[in-house]
Amino acid sequence: MSTMTLLEAANKAMQHEMANDERVVVFGEDVGLKGGVFGTTQGLQNEFGDDRCFDTPLSECGILGTAVGMALYGLRPIAEIQFLDFIYPGFDQIVSEAAKMRYRSGGEYTCPMVIRSPYGGGIRGGHYHSQSSEAYFCHTPGLKVVIPSTPADTKGLLIASIRDEDPVMFLEPKRIYRTAKGEVPDGEHVVPLGKGRVVREGSDCTIVAYGAMVPLVEKAALEAEKQGKSMEIIDPRSLVPLDEELILESVKKTGRCVIVHEAPRTCGYGGEIAAIIAEKAIEYLEGPIARVTGFDTPFPYALENLYMPDVRRVMSGIAKTFNW
Amino acid sequence: MTSKALSIIENDGRAAKGKDPNLSDEELRRIYEIMVMTRVMDDKGLVLQRRGGIGFYLQSTGQEASHIGSAYAMLDSDWFFPAYRQPGILLLRGVPLDDIVNEWFGNDGDTSKGRQMPVHYSFRSVNFVSISSPIGTQLSQAAGAAMGAQMRGDDTVFMTYCGDGGTSSNDFHAGLNFAGVYKAPVVFVVENNQWAISVPFQKQTAAETIAAKAQAYGMPGIRVDGNDVLAVYRASKEAVDRARKGEGPTLIETVTYRMGSHSSSDDADRYRDKKEWEAWGKRDPILRFQKYLQQKGLWDAEFETEVQTRSKQEINDAVKRAELRSLPAPESMFDDVFMNQTPQIKEQREDFLALEGEADEAQGEFPL
Ligand SMILES: Cc1ncc(C[n+]2csc(CCOP(=O)(O)OP(=O)(O)O)c2C)c(N)n1
Ligand SMILES: [Mg+2]
């Protein structure tokens, strides 16, 4: 075990897999000598050479199209998109190509590749360095979507993503890149995709949260505890595939559920979880399901702290499941 | 097409024979003052960021000739589709310093209401279209606006900017291709400052020059010394005049250098050779223009002191005023998503305000 940040854990996962499998290559804007704008790829070019970790021209379309091509040819590309907000010039290569390759070729061709990208607010980044657009990708059949919230999960999930036979969007909550610190197993450490994590056990209400919202709802759970309410926290860790069973089991036990995400509410991932609970566990509910989310506005710069869910908003969501 | 860049101001400060654009003394001094003011403003912006006063800053240092020289060729009625490294255009167009500085703070005096990061300006009053972070998007938009002017029979000209990195974007291709096909009145200015964050020009394209790319789009490609304000102006004026006469678009590559780090979030010393930086420092566009003015008798130490002092005073005063302002009203976050708020946005706004009210009562407690 070693103690490290979420950012370092992502680095360690890539390093581990590059050493382990020579098909693994890492590329994107500024990932080489600079080691990424956040430092996630630091040292990889030095250790593995500039044919396995290299800078590209400024084109997300180029980065993702070539990643698809490499994957088709048998490599295991890890394409870094500097900020999730800048992925759209390459959207076509993700949703029309990588995600559909296996299906449209009847399983002949596949795209085992990882698209890593920092996402989410809280760094004073305004519209284009803050958005949480996971839902676009979850809505595309053929893409896996993974979001870690701890250093250990980051390493384990990223290794699992690199080894996965299908394209994976690996979204890194940049706000907690350096604040999330924890023990991470050395060497081999794999966390399978599709298995959620019980962050905290409790009996009165379930909170489902992922990414940077996990440490936030942990704080809210402590507040609720002071007021005699016991919160259970579930981190699904991967949104596609989703560990429905873990969420349903928890909700059946607690009878209440609050879903928290930073992304705007309309068609956000919280709606999907709420629907699953309504379809499969409505008879267990003792109060309405509550969503605590970003607002249906673009991500504002100056008022970002008011835009993003905070402890107060989570508490208010919890209250709604009790008082109605 | 040669890879040699057009240059006018020679080492001794004289204009190369037959190439002087012959601007009036008044115009020359005004261009100089705006270049100095831009530099002073950029210095202040970075200092403010370092002190924690603003969240981010991005300088244009070293590129004053490149963007001010090109913009000077435009009429007031012409439009800019800028990238994020052309702040001097705002000064040229007379945007009040207070409006610029309030944008850095995202405060209640910011005309774009604190919605964007510092230096992402929008000033409709001077035909300066809202700046986006995603690289390149303005290029096809400028082509489209130019097509619009063509359709309406207006003689407006459009100038749009990007960096060397921006030439790799999808929109660079789309914008130049459309502008070429429709002969749209647009001038594409690529400020080739040799770097796209840490990626050097040689890794951005295998083409020898960016100007060379124009040929494939059926338009002239001009390469100019981007640290020579007269050369940039002259090339731009010709391009703007051609566009206005209906002769179509032009691609101008200004060969220059990003003297600072990419932004306040970057440290160029980690990937850039100090010697390269020093060599470009000797070609400073402001000093170069100063020499030209001096030999024409338009510059002396006294004038310099006056311009420097005035610029610093004005920017410092604007910052002091901005610091006294507040953030935009919290509920303003819900405005301008659409012309009319949707029922969902209305509801979210009401819930938000109710909770803000409760929070004031609860005084830091979180009652369930
Ligand atoms: C589509 C997109 N991808 C990535 C980024 C991140 N980014 C911001 S500036 C920049 C480099 C731009 O270089 P260049 O176009 O040469 O302009 P310069 O900054 O040198 O003026 C990058 C990669 C972005 N803003 N947009
Ligand atoms: Mg550049």
Side-chain angles (χ1 to χ4, degrees), chain B residues 223-245:
Chain B
R223 196 159 188 263
V224 299
D225 180 338
N227 287 12
D228 178 341
V229 71
L230 296 184
V232 176
Y233 168 74
R234 192 187 164 112
S236 305
K237 183 76 170 65
E238 282 170 14
V240 167
D241 289 348
R242 274 176 24 81
R244 207 178 309 280
K245 279 189 281 182

Side-chain angles (χ1 to χ4, degrees), chain A residues 30 33-34 42 55-59 61 82 86 89 124-129 223 227 229 265 295-303 306-307 311-313 315-316 318-319 323, chain B residues 55 106 114-118 132-135 165 168-170 196-199 203-204 266 270-271 327-330 332-334 337 344-345 348 352 355-356 359 366-368:
Chain A
D30 305 287
L33 188 56
K34 184 172 162 83
Q42 210 119 70
D55 290 333
T56 65
L58 204 167
S59 167
C61 173
Q82 201 162 82
F86 300 140
R124 297 175 101 186
H127 307 310
Y128 302 113
H129 304 81
E223 280 297 329
Q227 296 173 48
K229 299 282 192 248
R265 167 165 310 204
F295 301 116
D296 285 348
T297 76
F299 194 101
Y301 170 69
L303 299 173
L306 296 176
Y307 175 88
V311 171
R312 185 152 39 91
R313 293 232 299 267
M315 294 301 283
S316 149
I318 295 170
N323 319 319
Chain B
R115 299 267 169 68
Q116 287 230 74
M117 276 174 96
S132 182
S133 306
I135 297 288
S168 297
S169 69
N170 296 0
I197 309 187
S198 73
V199 180
K203 287 194 189 167
Q204 200 61 244
D266 179 42
R270 298 192 45 182
Y271 53 80
L327 281 183
S332 71
M333 178 163 60
F334 298 94
V337 183
Q344 288 70 31
I345 295 176
Q348 289 171 21
F352 170 80
L355 200 58
E356 289 282 293
F366 305 99
L368 272 183

Side-chain angles (χ1 to χ4, degrees), chain B residues 140-312:
Chain B
S140 50
Q141 295 167 5
M147 287 160 63
Q150 232 175 5
M151 291 171 204
R152 287 194 171 175
D154 297 341
D155 69 351
T156 313
V157 173
F158 300 79
M159 186 172 275
T160 183
Y161 292 82
C162 74
D164 39 312
T167 63
S168 297
S169 69
N170 296 0
D171 281 300
F172 180 81
H173 170 66
L176 272 78
N177 193 37
F178 273 59
V181 167
Y182 296 100
K183 274 194 146 196
V186 54
V187 180
F188 298 94
V189 180
V190 177
E191 293 194 63
N192 180 359
N193 64 6
Q194 314 304 322
W195 291 89
I197 309 187
S198 73
V199 180
F201 176 63
Q202 293 73 22
K203 287 194 189 167
Q204 200 61 244
T205 175
E208 196 187 327
T209 71
I210 284 167
K213 295 184 184 225
Q215 196 184 353
Y217 294 105
M219 68 178 79
I222 318 286
R223 196 159 188 263
V224 299
D225 180 338
N227 287 12
D228 178 341
V229 71
L230 296 184
V232 176
Y233 168 74
R234 192 187 164 112
S236 305
K237 183 76 170 65
E238 282 170 14
V240 167
D241 289 348
R242 274 176 24 81
R244 207 178 309 280
K245 279 189 281 182
E247 291 169 19
T250 305
L251 171 62
I252 298 176
E253 173 186 6
T254 64
V255 182
T256 180
Y257 197 74
R258 191 192 79 205
M259 288 305 291
S261 287
H262 171 72
S263 72
S264 56
S265 315
D266 179 42
D267 175 10
D269 288 346
R270 298 192 45 182
Y271 53 80
R272 211 160 66 168
D273 182 10
K274 199 92 195 160
K275 286 210 189 79
E276 178 188 283
W277 179 82
E278 279 167 4
W280 277 94
K282 296 201 181 98
R283 301 172 57 183
D284 186 285
I286 295 182
L287 294 180
R288 179 105 167 260
F289 191 35
Q290 206 180 80
K291 265 194 181 168
Y292 170 84
L293 295 178
Q294 190 175 15
Q295 62 76 36
K296 283 186 77 114
L298 296 173
W299 180 93
D300 58 21
E302 200 181 322
F303 173 62
E304 183 67 20
T305 313
E306 193 268 316
V307 175
Q308 291 277 351
T309 314
R310 176 158 42 87
S311 301
K312 284 176 191 155

Side-chain angles (χ1 to χ4, degrees), chain A residues 119-309:
Chain A
Y119 88 106
I123 64 154
R124 297 175 101 186
H127 307 310
Y128 302 113
H129 304 81
S130 307
Q131 296 167 96
S132 297
S133 44
E134 64 273 13
Y136 291 148
F137 302 99
C138 294
H139 196 62
T140 299
L143 269 186
K144 294 185 177 174
V145 180
V146 176
I147 302 181
S149 68
T150 67
D153 280 354
T154 299
K155 179 170 173 186
L157 290 166
L158 184 49
I159 291 180
S161 301
I162 297 167
R163 295 182 189 176
D164 202 272
E165 295 299 331
D166 287 299
V168 179
M169 294 288 306
F170 191 86
L171 306 183
E172 301 168 3
K174 66 172 96 79
R175 182 194 196 179
I176 57 170
Y177 256 154
R178 293 187 179 84
T179 54
K181 276 203 193 97
E183 295 271 285
V184 176
D186 298 321
E188 179 81 8
H189 170 56
V190 182
V191 174
L193 308 188
K195 287 269 163 254
R197 176 171 72 98
V198 180
V199 178
R200 179 189 208 274
E201 287 188 30
S203 53
D204 296 329
C205 177
T206 301
I207 307 181
V208 181
Y210 49 87
M213 293 294 98
V214 173
L216 172 73
V217 303
E218 286 185 275
K219 277 190 211 142
L222 289 177
E223 280 297 329
E225 177 122 16
K226 284 189 208 155
Q227 296 173 48
K229 299 282 192 248
S230 155
M231 299 291 120
E232 176 145 304
I233 301 175
I234 305 287
D235 173 3
R237 301 197 285 201
S238 69
L239 304 186
V240 181
L242 177 68
D243 191 348
E244 272 188 34
E245 215 177 291
L246 188 69
I247 295 172
L248 289 171
E249 253 171 47
S250 174
V251 173
K252 286 177 183 175
K253 181 176 75 177
T254 63
R256 293 185 174 82
C257 186
V258 178
I259 306 150
V260 183
H261 58 64
E262 224 176 280
R265 167 165 310 204
T266 298
C267 285
Y269 198 74
E272 185 60 34
I273 296 177
I276 291 169
I277 296 169
E279 283 170 351
K280 300 187 178 169
I282 198 159
E283 66 274 30
Y284 295 86
L285 288 181
E286 291 169 40
I289 300 168
R291 282 183 288 168
V292 177
T293 68
F295 301 116
D296 285 348
T297 76
F299 194 101
Y301 170 69
L303 299 173
E304 76 168 352
N305 289 332
L306 296 176
Y307 175 88
M308 293 184 299

